[in-house]
Amino acid sequence: MIIAEVQDLVKKYPSFELKSISFHLESGRITGFIGRNGAGKTTTIKSMLNMIHPDSGTIRYFGRPIAGNEADIKKRIGYSTGTVSWYPRKKIRDIVNIVKRFYDTWDEAAYRKYLDLFGIDEMKTPLELSEGMKVKVNLMLALAHRSDVLILDEPTSGLDPFSRNELLEVFNELRNHGVTVFFSTHIISDIEKCADDIVYISKGRIVAATPKADFIREYSEPGESLEDTMLRLEGGAVHA
Amino acid sequence: MRNILRKEMRLSASVLSYLFILFGLMFFVPGYPVLCGAFFVALGLFQSFQTAREANDIVFSALLPVAKSDIVKGKYLFVCLIESCAFLLMALAAVLRMTVFSQSAVYRGNALMNANFFALGMACVIFGLFNSIFVGGFFKTAYKFARPFVTFIIVCFLVIFIAEALHHVPGLDKLNAFGTDDLAMQLILLAAGIFIFLLLTVLSCRRACEQFERIDL
């Protein structure tokens, strides 16, 4: 079942352009959104969250356009855009106490579980946390309200290898419970470990939006790792 | 809206916004342009916008499950709440000056504007101008606030200057009524001030919602 759909998304900046981005997310699957820095991953994700106003195109969740249904749809989505960059001097506990009131589905037990799993001290302020811990706080907020879809912008960036593995395990666990996960990354090994589908963006254009196995079959050479495939593709061999 | 207002009050607001409500009591001060109290309340609100911008508050709000327009309405609600609290203090001071202290020599001999219902109406106009010029101006970018605030300061002091000067104009001396003199006219002027406040606030809030919808965060 299609749970989220991006259709003909166009956003023009003076020096960059998203060119008719289209793809969809299937229920209960993990989709990795890959592309090098500046390819358009964050712009696409911000458009999906209605933080950026696209020039044209539609974004739908659960069959409904986000425009006009933003509040209802966002209650069913968990999202995180990088690290915690807000309220540096407020305690995590105080921020959470505000955030949880916005969600009818806030799961205090899940919140405590991720607090423990990620080793977060809720009495600390963002200013007192490392970059990796800030990423975890953002993830914890995204995970604690039992969302149907998780949209995460580079959630594994800044995490140590152990934390990355933990997070990928969490993704797998969520998938097993029917949650759809969409995460951008430029760490290809994360995709290899847990993604079912791949959306590959290059220079503002979607190159492929396909199951991982099909992607490997189409683009990888025998014995080549996915990382080597991406390096070769970005090197220009395919686009030339 | 209750949740977004709670967020404004507990996370976004500067403590100075709350403290500066007390400047509403400047309506008690004799020999001082009482409308400056309204300006200082606005200054306290400006501090909240500054604190919120430093804390990346707009992006945080955009990530909450609310419509973008609710973020704007939340800010307006918070601003109006602070202004209303200050207005109540000003009203208290004005009523006391009009009743208990109506014969007080220190107020009777005051060359500056008397703290009466006309002054309260003018305070509403200043709050309305703050909402329209500063808050509305801020939401053109949701980032830049220096120009809207400087514009507000200029307009605000122009209004204070005019309000202070008006009752010296022949025929307009009733604007400086003491006690309950010319009460009907005073109440009409207060109602006019409240109407201007509501008009400026509602119109600028609507425009700000439209502008904020188009902003890329």
Side-chain angles (χ1 to χ4, degrees):
Chain A
M1 187 177 77
I2 293 174
I3 208 153
E5 194 173 15
V6 177
Q7 211 164 29
D8 298 324
L9 182 71
V10 173
K11 178 71 184 176
K12 288 180 184 167
Y13 291 106
S15 58
F16 176 73
E17 186 181 343
L18 281 186
K19 298 161 190 161
S20 197
I21 301 288
S22 294
F23 61 89
H24 64 262
L25 306 179
E26 298 271 354
S27 174
R29 291 177 73 84
I30 300 174
T31 303
F33 190 28
I34 50 173
R36 62 192 303 172
N37 292 337
K41 298 191 298 293
T42 297
T43 307
T44 304
I45 286 181
K46 283 189 168 183
S47 300
M48 291 172 76
L49 301 175
N50 209 28
M51 291 175 75
I52 282 179
H53 200 78
D55 296 328
S56 62
T58 52
I59 291 142
R60 303 173 79 86
Y61 293 90
F62 320 109
R64 294 190 299 165
I66 192 162
N69 300 292
E70 190 178 359
D72 286 343
I73 285 173
K74 280 185 170 179
K75 280 185 181 173
R76 296 178 63 186
I77 308 174
Y79 35 85
S80 132
T81 52
T83 70
V84 171
S85 57
W86 14 264
Y87 309 122
R89 294 180 191 280
K90 298 279 184 190
K91 287 191 179 91
I92 301 299
R93 184 197 59 187
D94 296 338
I95 296 171
V96 169
N97 278 340
I98 293 294
V99 170
K100 67 183 181 188
R101 290 171 192 273
F102 285 86
Y103 296 98
D104 308 327
T105 53
W106 182 266
D107 186 341
E108 193 63 24
Y111 165 64
R112 294 282 153 202
K113 176 184 140 188
Y114 291 118
L115 208 59
D116 190 44
L117 179 70
F118 294 149
I120 297 166
D121 179 356
E122 62 176 347
M123 298 310 283
K124 283 191 172 176
T125 66
L127 204 62
E128 295 166 331
L129 298 175
S130 68
E131 285 307 302
M133 290 306 279
K134 287 182 191 172
V135 171
K136 289 179 179 179
V137 169
N138 224 352
L139 284 167
M140 179 189 66
L141 289 173
L143 292 166
H145 61 92
R146 286 186 287 167
S147 46
D148 299 316
V149 190
L150 276 178
I151 296 177
L152 311 167
D153 191 10
E154 309 215 348
T156 53
S157 297
L159 296 185
D160 60 69
F162 307 104
S163 300
R164 268 173 46 209
N165 263 339
E166 275 170 9
L167 184 64
L168 298 179
E169 284 299 315
V170 170
F171 287 176
N172 281 325
E173 190 186 318
L174 290 167
R175 172 184 45 196
N176 295 340
H177 287 91
V179 176
T180 305
V181 180
F182 178 70
F183 73 103
S184 72
T185 185
H186 50 255
I187 304 171
I188 307 301
S189 60
D190 293 344
I191 302 280
E192 282 185 310
K193 278 180 187 162
C194 75
D196 302 307
D197 301 318
I198 288 177
V199 175
Y200 169 34
I201 188 170
S202 179
K203 295 171 186 167
R205 190 187 300 277
I206 296 292
V207 178
T210 176
K212 185 171 73 181
D214 293 352
F215 184 90
I216 291 169
R217 199 175 310 122
E218 187 167 346
Y219 293 104
S220 292
E221 291 178 353
E224 193 179 45
S225 69
L226 193 54
E227 183 150 353
D228 289 337
T229 304
M230 294 310 301
L231 285 171
R232 184 168 49 76
L233 291 177
E234 283 296 332
V238 165
H239 291 295
Chain B
M1 287 310 293
R2 199 175 356 156
N3 286 333
I4 198 91
L5 180 60
R6 186 182 284 114
K7 193 269 315 173
E8 288 297 327
M9 293 177 72
R10 295 209 181 153
L11 288 183
S12 316
S14 160
V15 70
L16 288 179
S17 292
Y18 296 114
L19 280 176
F20 278 30
I21 290 173
L22 294 173
F23 279 110
L25 292 174
M26 285 184 77
F27 262 47
F28 271 126
V29 182
Y32 190 88
V34 288
L35 289 177
C36 283
F39 170 75
F40 289 128
V41 174
L43 188 63
L45 284 164
F46 170 74
Q47 287 294 329
S48 275
F49 279 78
Q50 197 167 31
T51 307
R53 191 181 74 171
E54 284 165 5
N56 223 355
D57 166 75
I58 290 288
V59 171
F60 174 80
S61 304
L63 292 171
L64 293 170
V66 292
K68 268 176 111 175
S69 59
D70 288 343
I71 298 169
V72 178
K73 288 174 191 167
K75 285 268 181 242
Y76 271 88
L77 257 181
F78 171 71
V79 166
C80 289
L81 183 74
I82 296 289
E83 288 167 344
S84 301
C85 292
F87 177 81
L88 287 177
L89 290 183
M90 289 171 180
L92 175 74
V95 167
L96 286 173
R97 279 180 68 162
M98 289 167 71
T99 53
V100 180
F101 305 114
S102 65
Q103 299 307 317
S104 167
V106 75
Y107 289 134
R108 282 275 170 180
N110 179 17
L112 293 170
M113 190 180 189
N114 189 23
N116 55 19
F117 285 159
F118 170 63
L120 274 179
M122 289 308 295
C124 289
V125 171
I126 289 173
F127 287 148
L129 288 169
F130 177 77
N131 299 352
S132 175
I133 297 170
F134 176 71
V135 185
F138 170 75
F139 277 109
K140 281 182 184 166
T141 58
Y143 182 74
K144 293 179 182 170
F145 53 52
R147 185 179 290 184
F149 195 61
V150 170
T151 310
F152 165 71
I153 291 171
I154 293 166
V155 174
C156 176
F157 278 95
L158 208 62
V159 169
I160 292 174
F161 176 79
I162 292 168
E164 286 287 348
L166 271 180
H167 70 94
H168 295 293
V169 175
L172 297 180
D173 53 322
K174 286 183 177 175
L175 294 177
N176 206 35
F178 285 92
T180 51
D181 299 347
D182 300 304
L183 192 61
M185 187 196 70
Q186 294 278 320
L187 285 169
I188 290 169
L189 290 171
L190 171 60
I194 292 171
F195 176 74
I196 291 169
F197 167 80
L198 291 173
L199 189 72
L200 290 173
T201 303
V202 170
L203 289 180
S204 75
C205 182
R206 271 191 204 160
R207 198 179 58 219
C209 287
E210 288 166 14
Q211 284 169 333
F212 187 57
E213 195 65 46
R214 292 194 294 269
I215 289 174
D216 293 338
L217 298 170

